[in-house]
Amino acid sequence: MILKGNFIWMPAMDRLEVRENAWLVTSGETVTGIYDQLPPEYAGQPVEDWSGKVIIPAFNDLHIHAPQFLNRGIGYDTRLLDWLDTYTFPLEARFRDLDFARRAWKIFLNRLWAAGTMRFSAFATIHKEAAWALMELTEQSGLRGLVGKVNMDRNAADNLREETAASLADTEELVCRSRAELKHVGFILTPRFVPSTTAALMEGLGRLGERYDLPVQSHLSENPSEVDWVRQLHPDIPTYTQVYEDFGLLRKDKTIMAHAIYLSDGEKALLREKGVTLAHCPCSNVNLSSGVMPLRRNLEEGLRCCVASDVAGGHTAAMNRSVAAATALSKVRWLSHPEEAHLTLTESFYLATRGSGAFLGQVGSFEPGFQFDALVLAPDPAEDLLERTPVERLEQFLCDGDDRDIAARYCGGVLVEKPFDTME
Ligand code: GUN
Ligand code: FE
């Protein structure tokens, strides 16, 4: 495939590359190169001509709850533990109904597509059939990523609590089935968080992780009451992070922990040593009054961080909104911590493209060998009164863009059309 346009990408957090009127050539799923002049060997081949348009890497959202998409925006005058009990758990219990689940998954996948998220790591629910349906529908959609059946065997209502052995058996079944039947969607171990999973369950999941070499996703130190609760549940283990480590759930370079706001220096050292990716979820942390992650400091201390939506703690799946929110929240922190420079808008953009893509492979950039995942930005010409540079168009899209501003979406080297007709 050959595309023409104005390409912007970030090979590093402090490097914004802009190539105007350039050609990008792909081979199969990946980028071959970007050229100011089309190399002669490609002459005469069809070109996807996006001249005048800005083309950026698509978003990768490493922390999103697929069932909760239906609850976005609701109940934010509570804090985490009440919000889970009042709004989140009752909704997730409904996914026992497979027909309901399939309808919800299609709405979810259509929305991710529209917003320009081509890859993600999602929590499904505890239900094996619903989780499998999300994996299959994701594969059909042309989007890619990781999906986990949630594990919960304590501190939940009867309709959302599993037997430990069944939770482990269902998880293993999905690991095997997805490996046999799916190409572009993988399974990720998904213990909800320490208060939802007994020691026996965490230990069993740790063993599955080892046996099948699986990635892991969960929540860590999001809210002070949650952190206290973990201390009460595991008085013999010194920190929240250490609980996951003791049960084999900090798998080296294969673990995503969402939030990670209240960390000791010792916890940070362990997370760094294990190469854990911290998913910073600014919308969620503000909506649920959870706290402000010291993002700049964490990055400077060598922790891997990315920006994620955490729908429905976050109110929107549109990652440009989380990019803008991460920047804004970082500025608020800077006002009271002037020694921690705030993130720039493009640094946050990096954390939602190449930064998060690193967890999934060579993803999130237009460097040679990277998966070609891209969004073509095309603001409504009727509203286009001023000449703008490509970078100004990117800034405007990140702060106030939506799906009307995206003319095309590519994932793994192919154009992806709207996945589902939800009226079916
Ligand atoms: N901690 C445990 N479960 C959840 C969840 O669904 N959302 C958020 N934001 N935090 C959690
Ligand atoms: Fe979450």
Side-chain angles (χ1 to χ4, degrees):
M1 200 163 57
I2 303 170
L3 297 95
K4 187 161 190 281
N6 300 320
F7 297 89
I8 303 181
W9 73 103
M10 296 192 70
M13 195 162 148
D14 59 357
R15 254 180 72 207
L16 183 75
E17 295 279 349
V18 184
R19 294 284 282 276
E20 294 190 53
N21 299 313
W23 276 266
L24 184 149
V25 178
T26 69
S27 166
E29 299 190 353
T30 60
V31 176
T32 303
I34 296 191
Y35 311 95
D36 291 328
Q37 306 291 332
L38 187 65
E41 67 259 40
Y42 302 115
Q45 294 189 25
V47 174
E48 310 224 354
D49 191 351
W50 297 109
S51 293
K53 309 284 191 284
V54 172
I55 305 178
I56 62 172
F59 295 114
N60 305 300
D61 188 349
L62 291 189
H63 187 73
I64 185 162
H65 298 263
Q68 297 176 27
F69 181 71
L70 300 175
N71 262 1
R72 65 201 183 285
I74 295 173
Y76 296 152
D77 294 322
T78 56
R79 296 185 74 183
L80 178 66
L81 300 176
D82 287 336
W83 174 79
L84 287 171
D85 285 339
T86 309
Y87 300 98
T88 306
F89 293 166
L91 171 65
E92 291 193 13
R94 296 203 52 183
F95 285 72
R96 203 162 82 91
D97 174 349
L98 183 58
D99 186 51
F100 177 83
R102 289 181 62 86
R103 283 158 59 201
W105 299 151
K106 288 180 184 175
I107 295 168
F108 169 76
L109 290 163
N110 274 350
R111 183 67 203 130
L112 290 198
W113 172 85
T117 296
M118 294 295 112
R119 299 185 195 237
F120 56 84
S121 185
F123 285 52
T125 61
I126 62 165
H127 311 96
K128 179 177 68 179
E129 293 76 13
W132 174 249
L134 179 57
M135 297 190 90
E136 263 191 319
L137 289 168
T138 302
E139 181 94 11
Q140 280 173 33
S141 73
L143 308 186
R144 298 191 185 188
L146 301 167
V147 172
K149 184 204 100 64
V150 173
N151 303 102
M152 296 173 74
D153 70 342
R154 66 171 166 182
N155 296 314
D158 286 346
N159 64 1
L160 207 62
R161 193 173 55 238
E162 310 171 281
E163 293 300 323
T164 309
S167 182
L168 290 168
D170 287 355
T171 301
E172 186 166 13
E173 187 182 323
L174 288 176
V175 172
C176 297
R177 187 163 183 197
S178 57
R179 286 192 172 174
E181 296 181 33
L182 305 178
K183 246 174 90 183
H184 299 307
V185 181
F187 189 87
I188 181 163
L189 287 176
T190 308
R192 176 167 219 120
F193 67 159
V194 168
S196 297
T197 44
T198 61
L201 180 53
M202 287 190 277
E203 203 176 299
L205 291 172
R207 275 198 304 269
L208 282 182
E210 196 64 27
R211 184 174 325 143
Y212 294 97
D213 192 21
L214 294 166
V216 183
Q217 61 182 352
S218 193
H219 296 92
L220 173 65
S221 288
E222 174 177 4
N223 165 291
S225 306
E226 171 211 15
V227 176
D228 281 347
W229 195 12
V230 171
R231 201 174 292 126
Q232 287 164 29
L233 290 167
H234 297 274
D236 302 336
I237 304 179
T239 65
Y240 195 162
T241 303
Q242 190 68 39
V243 177
Y244 288 125
E245 168 64 0
D246 282 4
F247 294 110
L249 291 169
L250 297 185
R251 306 210 65 249
K252 177 92 171 111
D253 299 327
K254 287 180 180 259
T255 303
I256 303 164
M257 285 289 161
H259 310 297
I261 297 171
Y262 303 99
L263 299 177
S264 66
D265 289 344
E267 289 180 282
K268 288 191 187 188
L270 179 55
L271 293 164
R272 189 167 43 237
E273 178 193 320
K274 293 288 179 173
V276 172
T277 298
L278 305 183
H280 171 52
C281 306
C283 294
S284 173
N285 295 162
V286 170
N287 289 334
L288 299 178
S289 307
S290 295
V292 183
M293 182 209 251
L295 180 54
R296 172 69 72 191
R297 204 171 81 213
N298 285 349
L299 289 163
E300 284 179 349
E301 290 173 359
L303 289 158
R304 282 183 203 166
C305 301
C306 67
V307 167
S309 74
D310 191 29
V311 161
H315 54 280
T316 174
M319 286 289 286
N320 60 307
R321 299 279 174 187
S322 285
V323 167
T327 314
L329 194 53
S330 170
K331 288 176 183 172
V332 171
R333 182 168 168 90
W334 175 59
L335 293 174
S336 55
H337 296 76
E339 70 288 359
E340 294 176 30
H342 69 75
L343 266 75
T344 63
L345 187 64
T346 50
E347 285 178 320
S348 300
F349 175 59
Y350 171 86
L351 294 179
T353 51
R354 198 183 193 283
S356 46
F359 191 81
L360 303 168
Q362 287 197 298
V363 171
S365 178
F366 294 149
E367 294 155 74
F370 273 63
Q371 289 280 315
F372 181 64
D373 298 355
L375 308 178
V376 178
L377 304 184
D380 183 347
E383 293 182 20
D384 228 7
L385 205 56
L386 295 176
E387 282 275 316
R388 293 291 186 193
T389 66
V391 172
E392 287 171 341
R393 289 194 188 283
L394 171 63
E395 290 176 315
Q396 214 150 50
F397 171 71
L398 292 174
C399 289
D400 191 36
D402 61 43
D403 34 306
R404 291 168 298 182
D405 304 312
I406 306 177
R409 299 147 181 87
Y410 298 86
C411 182
V414 298
L415 182 74
V416 183
E417 303 282 3
K418 182 179 176 187
F420 302 107
D421 178 356
T422 46
M423 306 308 277
E424 288 162 6

